[in-house]
Amino acid sequence: MRRKMCGIAGYIGDKKAPIILFEMLKRLEYRGYDSAGIACISKGRIIVSKDKGRVDDVRKKINFKKVPASVGIAHNRWATHGIPSHENSHPHQDCSKNFAVVHNGIIENYKDLKEELLQLGHKFRSGTDTEVIPHLIEEFYKEKKNFEYSFVNAIRKLRGSFAIAAISSNESDRILVARKESPLMIGIGKGENFIASDMPAIIPYTRNVIVLDDFDYGILGRDSVQLKDIQTGDELKRDIQRVSWGLEEARKEGYEHFMLKEIFEEPDAVRNALKGADEAERIASKLAEYKRIYLVACGTASYAGMVGRYLLERFGISADAITASEFRYSTINILDEKTAVILISQSGETADTIASAKGAREKGAYLAAVVNVVGSTLTRISDDVIYTYSGPEIAVASTKAYIGQLVSLTLIALFLAMERERITREYTNEILDDLNGIPDKIQSILHEEREIKRLAQRLARKNIFFYIGRRLGYPTALEGALKIKEISYVHAEAYPAGELKHGPLALLEKGVPVIAITPNDDLLEKMESNIEEAKARGATILTVGESGELNVPITDSLLTPITYIVPLHLLAYYISTAKGFDPDKPRNLAKSVTVE
Ligand code: AGP
């Protein structure tokens, strides 16, 4: 199931809908926070208040005290199609403004549907995929003047994933909802009912919840909930669950921390980043025109950049990966219009990375950005953008976003190598097939969670860690070391394994843990002799590999950075919790370093 992160909510009852809806949105804000909006039925009309920005910003836009309304829907957006703006924020309406819709998911066939509706004379106000839904409802409404009939027929035309809520000023005693792949649940109250993407928005009002299944649709009244099958229209029976979770626990969907939840979203992070394949191919064809390529980023993103460099070099393509805070003051001096710069950033707001982009732009370089947050500053400076679609990453320590960056950079490297005729289309397709199999390989690593937790508890008292790797294993070692440093506050060094004997070996002594990245490739023997060197000094060796203490399923050597980091993310997380720290909020650090 592809996980999309926006938040939708709805209320029908006898209380003031706007107040309840804004409260519900606040509790969904962690799911998406680049725009928000609500639509309520008041005196036979639909009133909409929406805008770019946080829930509190939108709440200030309209004084709902003057708008008596007891039915409404609401939405927090995590942009995927169309940058954050007033027009692109939900709810969306049809031409007549008799309908309003909120949606979480991706309508894959929206371009065709939009074309059909434009031919029928519909006018669109946004660049979103969602806006086709209210216009479809409006079109079908002409046939029978029936909201449910129009809603179901509109939904049946959609391909892709959706959690939808819709209201109509023609039939103001109901909210219609539907679900396919994106989460949606109903809260059953007394004389009132609620809908939401997630428990946190519902449990302050009721703990009686129905979780909708794929292809369910529902008709919510104040005192009634009817569920039917989208495809057949048959009535459905769904159990009412009694929810015991607390609010905070619900936001983490039962995980103890956001970081653990986000590590368990890493299979989805691969699936979501693969949606950028067409964009990667387009960007690669532009990159092929440039002599010099730099991959520029900070922190974890810079290690993804190093992986990109090694992949390009594997295909005989020259590239350099440089930390943004160095690039902007030195490498910037040798840039020209024959240079391409690939900037990598989860937030798209990192000061050094943005400064590097601006400097490179002044030198006439071509800028391509690999970013998670849609519409962020870096995306507006760059010539092209490939989104990782990882969803909001709440924990300060980056995990699923790193996985998304690796997938995006692997796609770019493959298509660029193909463009430069270093590899064939067949080989590229083979690797793309392997990429499609990576989510299951990550899932199998996540099933080893208990063993990794036990190993972490054994290592929790160590006061230094060494990570060693070669070639693609070296950035993996760097990322593994950074994760331990930033959430467990323990010193961890990452080295190219070949460097040990040039000094670091002097630091090894009995019991020092050395984590060796040992993919089964042409450098395995070299790694094994480095391991022997370390073992001879009494080090405790932990290998990450196909038969390692940290076990990883067989993976094409090009894709090992994606799978080999997963056990190291889990290891760092469990060492942090074993030491009694909160991995989500590490001391001294911020999620996005917007200052230099
Ligand atoms: C990663 O765990 C850290 N939180 C940090 O190194 C981060 O990767 C770095 O600040 C870059 O952030 P960005 O990807 O948002 O640009």
Side-chain angles (χ1 to χ4, degrees):
M1 178 196 81
R2 274 200 308 262
R3 183 183 296 276
K4 275 285 295 104
M5 297 288 275
C6 293
I8 75 171
Y11 173 77
I12 182 165
D14 51 12
K15 297 189 183 78
K16 290 191 180 335
I19 293 169
I20 293 198
L21 289 170
F22 275 116
E23 283 171 2
M24 292 177 86
L25 283 187
K26 277 302 279 178
R27 292 193 191 94
L28 290 173
E29 205 158 30
Y30 71 95
R31 290 181 63 87
Y33 39 73
D34 53 46
S35 57
I38 76 168
C40 294
I41 301 174
S42 179
K43 297 178 191 151
R45 284 178 51 240
I46 290 180
I47 313 279
V48 176
S49 170
K50 65 178 191 175
D51 207 351
K52 188 168 99 160
R54 312 293 296 236
V55 172
D56 289 336
D57 306 335
V58 175
R59 191 199 303 253
K60 289 181 202 119
K61 298 257 174 225
I62 188 164
N63 179 351
F64 270 98
K65 288 195 183 58
K66 295 198 188 96
V67 178
S70 56
V71 185
I73 54 178
H75 185 272
N76 274 344
R77 186 161 182 252
W78 174 265
T80 55
H81 289 78
I83 61 167
S85 67
H86 176 279
E87 299 68 28
N88 287 337
S89 45
H90 302 214
H92 286 289
Q93 291 197 274
D94 61 305
C95 304
S96 71
K97 299 214 173 181
N98 287 327
F99 303 99
V101 169
V102 290
H103 161 240
N104 173 19
I106 291 187
I107 307 299
E108 288 162 1
N109 62 330
Y110 85 97
K111 285 189 179 132
D112 298 342
L113 293 172
K114 188 165 182 174
E115 201 38 54
E116 277 173 42
L117 290 160
L118 287 166
Q119 300 293 330
L120 291 168
H122 288 265
K123 299 269 180 290
F124 282 80
R125 303 177 189 88
S126 82
T128 67
D129 52 340
T130 301
E131 195 185 350
V132 298
I133 303 170
H135 292 284
L136 283 170
I137 295 172
E138 178 185 30
E139 201 51 39
F140 281 110
Y141 193 75
K142 292 171 187 169
E143 292 174 17
K144 293 197 171 177
K145 301 283 182 243
N146 177 285
F147 185 24
E148 181 182 344
Y149 168 85
S150 320
F151 179 79
V152 177
N153 281 284
I155 302 297
R156 286 174 180 160
K157 288 184 72 81
L158 305 181
R159 299 285 166 271
S161 57
F162 51 80
I164 294 171
I167 53 175
S168 164
S169 53
N170 306 322
E171 299 181 30
S172 59
D173 62 344
R174 60 191 54 198
I175 297 177
L176 299 187
V177 296
R179 176 215 161 133
K180 176 174 171 275
E181 292 182 15
S182 296
L184 191 60
M185 49 200 74
I186 294 171
I188 312 288
K190 289 191 178 48
E192 58 185 9
N193 286 312
F194 305 79
I195 64 123
S197 307
D198 241 347
M199 299 283 184
I202 289 179
I203 51 179
Y205 308 101
T206 172
R207 288 181 175 277
N208 297 319
V209 171
I210 296 175
V211 179
L212 269 67
D213 270 352
D214 283 352
F215 299 106
D216 285 6
Y217 81 88
I219 303 106
L220 261 72
R222 283 174 178 70
D223 297 303
S224 66
V225 174
Q226 227 187 338
L227 292 178
K228 297 183 181 176
D229 181 289
I230 290 175
Q231 290 153 324
T232 64
D234 297 345
E235 288 259 351
L236 296 168
K237 273 273 157 270
R238 290 272 178 261
D239 299 338
I240 295 180
Q241 297 175 30
R242 181 89 187 133
V243 176
S244 57
W245 275 353
L247 199 49
E248 195 53 16
E249 207 182 345
R251 288 179 69 214
K252 296 167 194 161
E253 292 176 15
Y255 289 100
E256 196 182 345
H257 297 101
F258 278 112
M259 184 175 173
L260 188 60
K261 172 172 174 281
E262 287 155 8
I263 291 172
F264 274 77
E265 289 170 355
E266 288 185 343
D268 278 344
V270 174
R271 296 186 186 98
N272 287 335
L274 285 171
K275 287 206 301 288
D278 293 347
E279 201 49 31
E281 188 158 13
R282 199 176 65 76
I283 290 174
S285 65
K286 288 190 176 180
L287 287 168
E289 296 151 30
Y290 292 89
K291 277 163 42 83
R292 289 290 297 146
I293 297 175
Y294 292 98
L295 296 112
V296 177
C298 296
T300 287
S302 72
Y303 306 145
M306 287 176 70
V307 168
R309 172 208 150 191
Y310 281 118
L311 291 173
L312 288 167
E313 286 182 347
R314 172 79 65 93
F315 299 129
I317 295 170
S318 164
D320 223 335
I322 302 181
T323 302
S325 51
E326 293 297 300
F327 177 87
R328 64 179 291 193
Y329 296 114
S330 178
T331 322
I332 206 81
N333 300 319
I334 59 169
L335 298 190
D336 59 23
E337 62 292 342
K338 296 193 190 70
T339 312
V341 180
I342 301 173
L343 302 124
I344 306 140
S345 175
Q346 186 286 127
S347 62
E349 301 298 345
T350 299
D352 283 319
T353 310
I354 287 170
S356 298
K358 288 178 176 169
R361 166 177 285 292
E362 279 159 25
K363 296 282 184 163
Y366 165 64
L367 306 187
V370 176
V371 178
N372 187 35
V373 179
V374 175
S376 53
T377 303
L378 187 61
T379 64
R380 294 198 299 277
I381 303 172
S382 304
D383 298 301
D384 284 302
V385 180
I386 175 169
Y387 284 115
T388 57
Y389 299 118
S390 308
E393 189 175 63
I394 311 291
V396 168
S398 185
T399 50
K400 64 172 181 174
Y402 177 66
I403 295 286
Q405 291 161 1
L406 293 180
V407 172
S408 300
L409 289 166
T410 303
L411 291 170
I412 289 175
L414 279 170
F415 290 124
L416 179 51
M418 198 176 71
E419 191 72 31
R420 292 267 181 90
E421 298 177 358
R422 310 278 180 166
I423 57 176
T424 62
R425 165 65 73 180
E426 293 68 37
Y427 175 77
T428 304
N429 290 340
E430 264 172 50
I431 301 296
L432 290 175
D433 285 346
D434 290 347
L435 258 173
N436 282 309
I438 291 291
D440 291 344
K441 291 181 189 255
I442 293 178
Q443 201 59 57
S444 68
I445 297 167
L446 296 173
H447 286 146
E448 319 254 327
E449 177 191 13
R450 255 202 308 278
E451 287 73 15
I452 294 172
K453 181 175 182 177
R454 266 202 291 278
L455 177 61
Q457 286 161 340
R458 284 209 311 274
L459 294 169
R461 274 187 299 284
K462 296 293 182 184
N463 56 17
I464 183 168
F465 285 83
F466 268 72
Y467 288 74
I468 59 172
R470 286 177 176 262
R471 209 167 45 193
L472 284 168
Y474 175 41
T476 302
L478 284 163
E479 166 60 7
L482 177 67
K483 280 296 153 301
I484 284 227
K485 277 185 270 204
E486 66 176 326
I487 61 174
S488 305
Y489 320 140
V490 176
H491 189 62
E493 288 280 1
Y495 282 103
E499 271 298 289
L500 274 183
K501 64 174 79 61
H502 298 283
L505 211 53
L507 280 171
L508 294 191
E509 55 192 14
K510 187 163 173 35
V512 170
V514 173
I515 294 166
I517 316 298
T518 55
N520 184 5
D521 62 16
D522 56 327
L523 295 180
L524 182 57
E525 271 178 34
K526 295 267 184 225
M527 281 304 297
E528 283 163 349
S529 63
N530 295 136
I531 287 167
E532 285 315 311
E533 286 164 14
K535 219 183 261 179
R537 274 77 182 172
T540 303
I541 303 297
L542 298 158
T543 56
V544 186
E546 292 164 17
S547 48
E549 284 75 20
L550 291 159
N551 192 272
V552 179
I554 295 175
T555 308
D556 181 287
S557 70
L558 279 179
L559 307 180
T560 48
I562 305 171
T563 50
Y564 278 58
I565 196 58
V566 175
L568 298 182
H569 281 165
L570 273 175
L571 184 71
Y573 170 79
Y574 277 117
I575 287 178
S576 175
T577 52
K579 295 168 80 76
F581 297 133
D582 176 353
D584 284 346
K585 302 185 188 73
R587 67 185 185 195
N588 312 341
L589 301 179
K591 180 59 187 168
S592 178
V593 183
T594 53
V595 293
E596 297 173 8

